Amino acid sequence: MKIGLDFDGIISNCGKLKSDGAKKLYDVDIPPVKFKKEIVVGEKHLTMEQYHELQKIIYGTREIGFLMEPVDGVLHFLPRLVADGHIVLVVTSRGEIELGIAKEWSIQKGLQLDFIGVGHGKSKANAANGLDFYVDDDLDKLEPLVDIVPHRFLFSWGYNAHVDVGAIAKRVASWEELYRTIQLLGGVR
Ligand SMILES: [Mg+2]
């Protein structure tokens, strides 16, 4: 199968970085699992301006950007997908500078990946054309793929637990479950 993966929230876990950054910059305590714009800004922990400034620092500076942690299980199961013969493509909203950091970090972690960076606020529909399977931690990114990618999955985190996936996607809760799901769907190519 041709498998598309979002980067932040699927491969890298930036929750702790954002949480630590918010504490350092604004002296606000926000747990990593709650760190999503809708929640943080919606519940007025940070202003939109503060959130964007924090995002810029977390994703766009090398000193902090490289401190992100891999999502549990990704370093084990992602190479197994490739070894099983699947084609894996990362489709991320990161812009150029942030994408460069993501690529370098992935190499440091031993992950050989192809990336497409579509840019912030842009649809992933064009980049996802031809994929059989796509997983994201943001339902808004999955919605435009309904008629494009047959198998769509939302990776569950505390910050998206309240979201009703409806017919847009199914949920997976871990990399192990993601790997098993792909095995059941597509077998080995
Ligand atoms: Mg994401």
Side-chain angles (χ1 to χ4, degrees):
M1 288 207 297
K2 287 186 181 161
I3 297 163
L5 305 171
D6 178 30
F7 186 77
D8 295 292
I10 305 298
I11 297 171
S12 83
N13 177 359
C14 293
K16 186 174 183 300
L17 272 189
K18 287 182 182 171
S19 181
D20 292 348
K23 179 71 185 167
K24 201 172 164 187
L25 284 170
Y26 310 118
D27 197 26
V28 186
D29 288 302
I30 305 162
V33 294
K34 290 274 174 195
F35 233 107
K36 204 70 181 170
K37 185 169 67 189
E38 300 83 77
I39 300 173
V40 171
V41 178
E43 295 177 3
K44 300 196 189 325
H45 300 292
L46 297 179
T47 65
M48 190 63 98
E49 201 178 42
Q50 287 175 322
Y51 187 86
H52 284 147
E53 188 191 3
L54 180 66
Q55 253 192 332
K56 214 172 153 186
I57 293 169
I58 300 296
Y59 294 128
T61 65
R62 296 173 60 86
E63 305 75 46
I64 299 181
F66 284 119
L67 298 175
M68 59 193 165
E69 292 169 359
V71 171
D72 279 350
V74 67
L75 299 183
H76 178 68
F77 288 107
L78 180 45
R80 279 180 70 176
L81 285 179
V82 176
D84 288 349
H86 298 292
I87 294 164
V88 175
L89 176 67
V90 179
V91 182
T92 170
S93 299
R94 284 183 175 233
E96 207 180 324
I97 294 168
E98 298 90 341
L99 182 59
I101 291 171
K103 285 179 178 174
E104 222 177 298
W105 177 89
S106 299
I107 292 166
Q108 281 182 5
K109 299 292 173 198
L111 298 172
Q112 312 270 335
L113 297 167
D114 290 321
F115 287 82
I116 295 181
V118 300
H120 287 290
K122 305 265 174 61
S123 169
K124 293 181 173 180
N126 282 342
N129 217 339
L131 295 175
D132 302 303
F133 187 103
Y134 187 74
V135 57
D136 208 298
D137 62 333
D138 189 345
L139 195 70
D140 292 345
K141 300 288 168 62
L142 287 156
E143 201 170 0
L145 308 186
V146 166
D147 295 323
I148 294 172
V149 181
H151 304 290
R152 302 167 305 277
F153 285 81
L154 182 73
F155 199 98
S156 290
W157 288 99
Y159 53 73
N160 66 30
H162 62 288
V163 173
D164 175 12
V165 295
I168 296 171
K170 292 174 183 162
R171 283 182 179 271
V172 284
S174 68
W175 257 95
E176 181 166 10
E177 191 186 348
L178 185 60
Y179 180 75
R180 305 284 170 229
T181 303
I182 291 168
Q183 271 191 319
L184 286 173
L185 277 173
V188 177
R189 199 179 197 197

PDB file of all heavy atoms in Angstrom, residues 7 11-13 65-71 74-75 100-111:
ATOM      1  N   PHE A   7       3.285  14.405  10.145  1.00  0.00           N
ATOM      2  CA  PHE A   7       4.531  14.356  10.919  1.00  0.00           C
ATOM      3  C   PHE A   7       4.288  14.633  12.407  1.00  0.00           C
ATOM      4  O   PHE A   7       4.496  13.770  13.247  1.00  0.00           O
ATOM      5  CB  PHE A   7       5.561  15.343  10.341  1.00  0.00           C
ATOM      6  CG  PHE A   7       6.901  15.230  11.012  1.00  0.00           C
ATOM      7  CD1 PHE A   7       7.754  14.184  10.711  1.00  0.00           C
ATOM      8  CD2 PHE A   7       7.297  16.167  11.962  1.00  0.00           C
ATOM      9  CE1 PHE A   7       8.986  14.053  11.341  1.00  0.00           C
ATOM     10  CE2 PHE A   7       8.531  16.049  12.597  1.00  0.00           C
ATOM     11  CZ  PHE A   7       9.372  14.989  12.279  1.00  0.00           C
ATOM     12  N   ILE A  11       4.616  11.106  14.027  1.00  0.00           N
ATOM     13  CA  ILE A  11       6.014  10.681  14.093  1.00  0.00           C
ATOM     14  C   ILE A  11       6.697  11.386  15.267  1.00  0.00           C
ATOM     15  O   ILE A  11       7.371  10.761  16.078  1.00  0.00           O
ATOM     16  CB  ILE A  11       6.716  10.975  12.754  1.00  0.00           C
ATOM     17  CG1 ILE A  11       6.044  10.147  11.643  1.00  0.00           C
ATOM     18  CG2 ILE A  11       8.214  10.660  12.840  1.00  0.00           C
ATOM     19  CD1 ILE A  11       6.483  10.491  10.246  1.00  0.00           C
ATOM     20  N   SER A  12       6.516  12.706  15.345  1.00  0.00           N
ATOM     21  CA  SER A  12       7.102  13.445  16.468  1.00  0.00           C
ATOM     22  C   SER A  12       6.011  13.846  17.454  1.00  0.00           C
ATOM     23  O   SER A  12       4.880  14.114  17.066  1.00  0.00           O
ATOM     24  CB  SER A  12       7.804  14.705  15.971  1.00  0.00           C
ATOM     25  OG  SER A  12       6.858  15.742  15.800  1.00  0.00           O
ATOM     26  N   ASN A  13       6.393  13.857  18.699  1.00  0.00           N
ATOM     27  CA  ASN A  13       5.480  14.247  19.769  1.00  0.00           C
ATOM     28  C   ASN A  13       5.964  15.576  20.329  1.00  0.00           C
ATOM     29  O   ASN A  13       6.945  15.628  21.056  1.00  0.00           O
ATOM     30  CB  ASN A  13       5.498  13.160  20.846  1.00  0.00           C
ATOM     31  CG  ASN A  13       4.646  13.512  22.029  1.00  0.00           C
ATOM     32  OD1 ASN A  13       4.040  14.583  22.078  1.00  0.00           O
ATOM     33  ND2 ASN A  13       4.601  12.614  22.990  1.00  0.00           N
ATOM     34  N   GLY A  65      13.743  22.754  18.300  1.00  0.00           N
ATOM     35  CA  GLY A  65      13.118  21.820  17.353  1.00  0.00           C
ATOM     36  C   GLY A  65      13.656  20.405  17.452  1.00  0.00           C
ATOM     37  O   GLY A  65      12.905  19.437  17.341  1.00  0.00           O
ATOM     38  N   PHE A  66      14.942  20.288  17.697  1.00  0.00           N
ATOM     39  CA  PHE A  66      15.552  18.951  17.754  1.00  0.00           C
ATOM     40  C   PHE A  66      15.254  18.205  19.045  1.00  0.00           C
ATOM     41  O   PHE A  66      15.578  17.037  19.171  1.00  0.00           O
ATOM     42  CB  PHE A  66      17.064  19.040  17.546  1.00  0.00           C
ATOM     43  CG  PHE A  66      17.436  19.266  16.115  1.00  0.00           C
ATOM     44  CD1 PHE A  66      18.131  20.393  15.727  1.00  0.00           C
ATOM     45  CD2 PHE A  66      17.075  18.336  15.144  1.00  0.00           C
ATOM     46  CE1 PHE A  66      18.457  20.611  14.398  1.00  0.00           C
ATOM     47  CE2 PHE A  66      17.388  18.537  13.819  1.00  0.00           C
ATOM     48  CZ  PHE A  66      18.088  19.689  13.443  1.00  0.00           C
ATOM     49  N   LEU A  67      14.662  18.897  20.023  1.00  0.00           N
ATOM     50  CA  LEU A  67      14.365  18.251  21.299  1.00  0.00           C
ATOM     51  C   LEU A  67      13.059  17.449  21.276  1.00  0.00           C
ATOM     52  O   LEU A  67      12.714  16.793  22.247  1.00  0.00           O
ATOM     53  CB  LEU A  67      14.283  19.298  22.426  1.00  0.00           C
ATOM     54  CG  LEU A  67      15.569  20.086  22.692  1.00  0.00           C
ATOM     55  CD1 LEU A  67      15.306  21.171  23.730  1.00  0.00           C
ATOM     56  CD2 LEU A  67      16.673  19.160  23.157  1.00  0.00           C
ATOM     57  N   MET A  68      12.320  17.524  20.162  1.00  0.00           N
ATOM     58  CA  MET A  68      11.049  16.784  20.138  1.00  0.00           C
ATOM     59  C   MET A  68      11.314  15.283  20.272  1.00  0.00           C
ATOM     60  O   MET A  68      12.356  14.774  19.879  1.00  0.00           O
ATOM     61  CB  MET A  68      10.252  17.097  18.873  1.00  0.00           C
ATOM     62  CG  MET A  68      10.927  16.779  17.582  1.00  0.00           C
ATOM     63  SD  MET A  68      10.033  17.551  16.216  1.00  0.00           S
ATOM     64  CE  MET A  68      11.275  17.406  14.935  1.00  0.00           C
ATOM     65  N   GLU A  69      10.330  14.617  20.857  1.00  0.00           N
ATOM     66  CA  GLU A  69      10.463  13.184  21.116  1.00  0.00           C
ATOM     67  C   GLU A  69       9.690  12.396  20.062  1.00  0.00           C
ATOM     68  O   GLU A  69       8.663  12.849  19.580  1.00  0.00           O
ATOM     69  CB  GLU A  69       9.892  12.855  22.500  1.00  0.00           C
ATOM     70  CG  GLU A  69      10.732  13.431  23.620  1.00  0.00           C
ATOM     71  CD  GLU A  69      10.049  13.345  24.977  1.00  0.00           C
ATOM     72  OE1 GLU A  69       8.896  12.856  25.047  1.00  0.00           O
ATOM     73  OE2 GLU A  69      10.675  13.776  25.955  1.00  0.00           O
ATOM     74  N   PRO A  70      10.187  11.185  19.732  1.00  0.00           N
ATOM     75  CA  PRO A  70       9.414  10.345  18.817  1.00  0.00           C
ATOM     76  C   PRO A  70       8.133   9.872  19.513  1.00  0.00           C
ATOM     77  O   PRO A  70       8.138   9.644  20.721  1.00  0.00           O
ATOM     78  CB  PRO A  70      10.322   9.152  18.542  1.00  0.00           C
ATOM     79  CG  PRO A  70      11.601   9.394  19.253  1.00  0.00           C
ATOM     80  CD  PRO A  70      11.434  10.534  20.185  1.00  0.00           C
ATOM     81  N   VAL A  71       7.064   9.728  18.761  1.00  0.00           N
ATOM     82  CA  VAL A  71       5.842   9.130  19.300  1.00  0.00           C
ATOM     83  C   VAL A  71       6.162   7.677  19.685  1.00  0.00           C
ATOM     84  O   VAL A  71       6.910   6.997  18.975  1.00  0.00           O
ATOM     85  CB  VAL A  71       4.702   9.188  18.241  1.00  0.00           C
ATOM     86  CG1 VAL A  71       3.489   8.377  18.680  1.00  0.00           C
ATOM     87  CG2 VAL A  71       4.300  10.637  17.982  1.00  0.00           C
ATOM     88  N   VAL A  74       6.977   4.504  17.190  1.00  0.00           N
ATOM     89  CA  VAL A  74       7.227   4.864  15.787  1.00  0.00           C
ATOM     90  C   VAL A  74       8.580   4.332  15.301  1.00  0.00           C
ATOM     91  O   VAL A  74       8.692   3.869  14.158  1.00  0.00           O
ATOM     92  CB  VAL A  74       7.102   6.390  15.546  1.00  0.00           C
ATOM     93  CG1 VAL A  74       8.187   7.181  16.243  1.00  0.00           C
ATOM     94  CG2 VAL A  74       7.103   6.703  14.050  1.00  0.00           C
ATOM     95  N   LEU A  75       9.584   4.352  16.164  1.00  0.00           N
ATOM     96  CA  LEU A  75      10.919   3.932  15.722  1.00  0.00           C
ATOM     97  C   LEU A  75      10.976   2.416  15.489  1.00  0.00           C
ATOM     98  O   LEU A  75      11.840   1.921  14.777  1.00  0.00           O
ATOM     99  CB  LEU A  75      11.983   4.351  16.739  1.00  0.00           C
ATOM    100  CG  LEU A  75      12.108   5.863  16.983  1.00  0.00           C
ATOM    101  CD1 LEU A  75      13.232   6.156  17.960  1.00  0.00           C
ATOM    102  CD2 LEU A  75      12.326   6.629  15.680  1.00  0.00           C
ATOM    103  N   GLY A 100      12.794  21.429   7.192  1.00  0.00           N
ATOM    104  CA  GLY A 100      14.221  21.094   7.218  1.00  0.00           C
ATOM    105  C   GLY A 100      14.610  20.472   8.552  1.00  0.00           C
ATOM    106  O   GLY A 100      15.350  19.484   8.598  1.00  0.00           O
ATOM    107  N   ILE A 101      14.075  21.032   9.628  1.00  0.00           N
ATOM    108  CA  ILE A 101      14.359  20.496  10.962  1.00  0.00           C
ATOM    109  C   ILE A 101      13.768  19.090  11.108  1.00  0.00           C
ATOM    110  O   ILE A 101      14.415  18.177  11.620  1.00  0.00           O
ATOM    111  CB  ILE A 101      13.811  21.457  12.051  1.00  0.00           C
ATOM    112  CG1 ILE A 101      14.651  22.742  12.038  1.00  0.00           C
ATOM    113  CG2 ILE A 101      13.826  20.812  13.433  1.00  0.00           C
ATOM    114  CD1 ILE A 101      14.110  23.862  12.902  1.00  0.00           C
ATOM    115  N   ALA A 102      12.551  18.917  10.611  1.00  0.00           N
ATOM    116  CA  ALA A 102      11.896  17.601  10.686  1.00  0.00           C
ATOM    117  C   ALA A 102      12.707  16.545   9.924  1.00  0.00           C
ATOM    118  O   ALA A 102      12.880  15.421  10.404  1.00  0.00           O
ATOM    119  CB  ALA A 102      10.478  17.684  10.123  1.00  0.00           C
ATOM    120  N   LYS A 103      13.209  16.920   8.752  1.00  0.00           N
ATOM    121  CA  LYS A 103      13.985  15.968   7.947  1.00  0.00           C
ATOM    122  C   LYS A 103      15.270  15.564   8.663  1.00  0.00           C
ATOM    123  O   LYS A 103      15.623  14.386   8.733  1.00  0.00           O
ATOM    124  CB  LYS A 103      14.342  16.590   6.591  1.00  0.00           C
ATOM    125  CG  LYS A 103      13.172  16.657   5.625  1.00  0.00           C
ATOM    126  CD  LYS A 103      13.609  17.312   4.314  1.00  0.00           C
ATOM    127  CE  LYS A 103      12.464  17.337   3.316  1.00  0.00           C
ATOM    128  NZ  LYS A 103      12.801  18.087   2.094  1.00  0.00           N
ATOM    129  N   GLU A 104      15.966  16.581   9.191  1.00  0.00           N
ATOM    130  CA  GLU A 104      17.238  16.315   9.864  1.00  0.00           C
ATOM    131  C   GLU A 104      17.033  15.468  11.119  1.00  0.00           C
ATOM    132  O   GLU A 104      17.784  14.533  11.398  1.00  0.00           O
ATOM    133  CB  GLU A 104      17.879  17.660  10.233  1.00  0.00           C
ATOM    134  CG  GLU A 104      19.363  17.698   9.965  1.00  0.00           C
ATOM    135  CD  GLU A 104      19.942  19.062  10.263  1.00  0.00           C
ATOM    136  OE1 GLU A 104      19.526  20.045   9.605  1.00  0.00           O
ATOM    137  OE2 GLU A 104      20.788  19.141  11.158  1.00  0.00           O
ATOM    138  N   TRP A 105      15.996  15.801  11.874  1.00  0.00           N
ATOM    139  CA  TRP A 105      15.658  15.057  13.090  1.00  0.00           C
ATOM    140  C   TRP A 105      15.361  13.585  12.758  1.00  0.00           C
ATOM    141  O   TRP A 105      15.801  12.681  13.446  1.00  0.00           O
ATOM    142  CB  TRP A 105      14.461  15.729  13.761  1.00  0.00           C
ATOM    143  CG  TRP A 105      13.926  15.058  14.989  1.00  0.00           C
ATOM    144  CD1 TRP A 105      14.323  15.272  16.280  1.00  0.00           C
ATOM    145  CD2 TRP A 105      12.873  14.071  15.059  1.00  0.00           C
ATOM    146  NE1 TRP A 105      13.577  14.490  17.138  1.00  0.00           N
ATOM    147  CE2 TRP A 105      12.687  13.747  16.414  1.00  0.00           C
ATOM    148  CE3 TRP A 105      12.070  13.448  14.098  1.00  0.00           C
ATOM    149  CZ2 TRP A 105      11.743  12.817  16.844  1.00  0.00           C
ATOM    150  CZ3 TRP A 105      11.122  12.516  14.517  1.00  0.00           C
ATOM    151  CH2 TRP A 105      10.974  12.217  15.875  1.00  0.00           C
ATOM    152  N   SER A 106      14.617  13.372  11.665  1.00  0.00           N
ATOM    153  CA  SER A 106      14.248  12.011  11.274  1.00  0.00           C
ATOM    154  C   SER A 106      15.492  11.187  10.951  1.00  0.00           C
ATOM    155  O   SER A 106      15.587  10.020  11.344  1.00  0.00           O
ATOM    156  CB  SER A 106      13.324  12.035  10.052  1.00  0.00           C
ATOM    157  OG  SER A 106      12.136  12.725  10.361  1.00  0.00           O
ATOM    158  N   ILE A 107      16.428  11.809  10.248  1.00  0.00           N
ATOM    159  CA  ILE A 107      17.676  11.104   9.915  1.00  0.00           C
ATOM    160  C   ILE A 107      18.428  10.756  11.196  1.00  0.00           C
ATOM    161  O   ILE A 107      18.909   9.642  11.359  1.00  0.00           O
ATOM    162  CB  ILE A 107      18.532  11.944   8.942  1.00  0.00           C
ATOM    163  CG1 ILE A 107      17.834  12.022   7.585  1.00  0.00           C
ATOM    164  CG2 ILE A 107      19.938  11.356   8.791  1.00  0.00           C
ATOM    165  CD1 ILE A 107      18.384  13.078   6.652  1.00  0.00           C
ATOM    166  N   GLN A 108      18.486  11.718  12.124  1.00  0.00           N
ATOM    167  CA  GLN A 108      19.125  11.463  13.434  1.00  0.00           C
ATOM    168  C   GLN A 108      18.508  10.270  14.136  1.00  0.00           C
ATOM    169  O   GLN A 108      19.182   9.545  14.859  1.00  0.00           O
ATOM    170  CB  GLN A 108      18.965  12.668  14.358  1.00  0.00           C
ATOM    171  CG  GLN A 108      19.915  13.813  14.100  1.00  0.00           C
ATOM    172  CD  GLN A 108      19.693  14.936  15.113  1.00  0.00           C
ATOM    173  OE1 GLN A 108      18.906  14.830  16.046  1.00  0.00           O
ATOM    174  NE2 GLN A 108      20.408  16.034  14.924  1.00  0.00           N
ATOM    175  N   LYS A 109      17.204  10.098  13.948  1.00  0.00           N
ATOM    176  CA  LYS A 109      16.484   9.006  14.619  1.00  0.00           C
ATOM    177  C   LYS A 109      16.549   7.707  13.821  1.00  0.00           C
ATOM    178  O   LYS A 109      15.949   6.705  14.192  1.00  0.00           O
ATOM    179  CB  LYS A 109      15.008   9.380  14.833  1.00  0.00           C
ATOM    180  CG  LYS A 109      14.796  10.599  15.697  1.00  0.00           C
ATOM    181  CD  LYS A 109      15.212  10.341  17.140  1.00  0.00           C
ATOM    182  CE  LYS A 109      15.166  11.614  17.951  1.00  0.00           C
ATOM    183  NZ  LYS A 109      15.936  11.520  19.198  1.00  0.00           N
ATOM    184  N   GLY A 110      17.214   7.754  12.667  1.00  0.00           N
ATOM    185  CA  GLY A 110      17.360   6.551  11.859  1.00  0.00           C
ATOM    186  C   GLY A 110      16.174   6.266  10.953  1.00  0.00           C
ATOM    187  O   GLY A 110      16.020   5.152  10.453  1.00  0.00           O
ATOM    188  N   LEU A 111      15.323   7.272  10.742  1.00  0.00           N
ATOM    189  CA  LEU A 111      14.160   7.087   9.867  1.00  0.00           C
ATOM    190  C   LEU A 111      14.464   7.647   8.480  1.00  0.00           C
ATOM    191  O   LEU A 111      14.816   8.817   8.345  1.00  0.00           O
ATOM    192  CB  LEU A 111      12.929   7.808  10.442  1.00  0.00           C
ATOM    193  CG  LEU A 111      12.426   7.337  11.808  1.00  0.00           C
ATOM    194  CD1 LEU A 111      11.344   8.274  12.323  1.00  0.00           C
ATOM    195  CD2 LEU A 111      11.894   5.905  11.736  1.00  0.00           C
TER     196      LEU A 111
END
